[in-house]
Amino acid sequence: MADSRLQDVLFYSLESAIKAYRRFAQARLSAAGIDITIDQWLVLNMIHESADITLQQIGAAVFKDFASVTRIVQLLERKGLLRRTPHPSDGRWSQLALTSAGKSVISAVEPIAQANRRKALDGIDARHQAQLRAVLKQIMENCDARD
């Protein structure tokens, strides 16, 4: 039977690679003395990139449910990295904004994130990276296809 061993299943390898990268990236953040998790960084970066983003939009972008994003935002707020204020035109949600400390974290993490990506992709040429993107895109399309 093909792909009967877990280690032979492509999706197991993909998940293993993602987890290895996250451990690697987290270790580099910690080594740099930056007290933030990868998930906190992703949420902080989404807020940095999009001023009027909602918690639901953040969740969709970083593959987290609403409750997880809410907890992360609360932690970032307690750390003094962002602030929530009532939205001026829609009281049902809060506007999220980075504090000066949050902006400093963005500036500190960006070169580390770039270096992490370079290290992880070391020895994988642009052609193979493009092929991988195409294969992953096809997998996503296959999974999103309505039968």
Side-chain angles (χ1 to χ4, degrees):
M1 180 177 183
D3 290 342
S4 62
R5 291 184 35 211
L6 194 55
Q7 292 80 4
D8 296 334
V9 176
L10 176 64
F11 299 102
Y12 181 83
S13 297
L14 184 58
E15 184 72 17
S16 295
I18 290 167
K19 289 194 181 300
Y21 178 77
R22 287 177 66 90
R23 281 190 307 271
F24 165 76
Q26 187 64 60
R28 289 195 137 180
L29 286 179
S30 296
I34 300 171
D35 181 29
I36 193 168
T37 67
I38 296 300
D39 288 338
Q40 290 170 2
W41 157 249
L42 291 171
V43 169
L44 201 62
N45 200 46
M46 289 304 304
I47 295 165
H48 172 70
E49 289 178 357
S50 185
D52 277 339
I53 196 164
T54 66
L55 295 180
Q56 291 87 349
Q57 291 167 328
I58 293 169
V62 302
F63 313 108
K64 296 287 179 197
D65 61 54
F66 181 79
S68 296
V69 173
T70 299
R71 281 190 301 276
I72 292 169
V73 165
Q74 289 169 343
L75 281 168
L76 292 170
E77 194 173 20
R78 281 197 299 267
K79 287 183 175 191
L81 302 178
L82 68 82
R83 69 178 170 280
R84 285 190 285 189
T85 56
H87 192 274
S89 63
D90 188 348
R92 293 173 295 173
W93 62 285
S94 298
Q95 224 169 3
L96 305 169
L98 299 182
T99 62
S100 59
K103 291 174 186 174
S104 293
V105 168
I106 292 286
S107 296
V109 172
E110 189 56 36
I112 296 168
Q114 293 294 329
N116 291 347
R117 294 176 196 138
R118 281 192 305 274
K119 175 67 175 164
L121 294 171
D122 189 36
I124 304 171
D125 64 38
R127 182 176 57 87
H128 284 110
Q129 289 180 43
Q131 287 174 332
L132 178 57
R133 277 190 201 91
V135 168
L136 294 173
K137 182 178 184 238
Q138 183 63 55
I139 290 171
M140 289 183 290
E141 288 171 2
N142 290 348
C143 292
D144 287 340
R146 307 287 186 242
D147 289 325

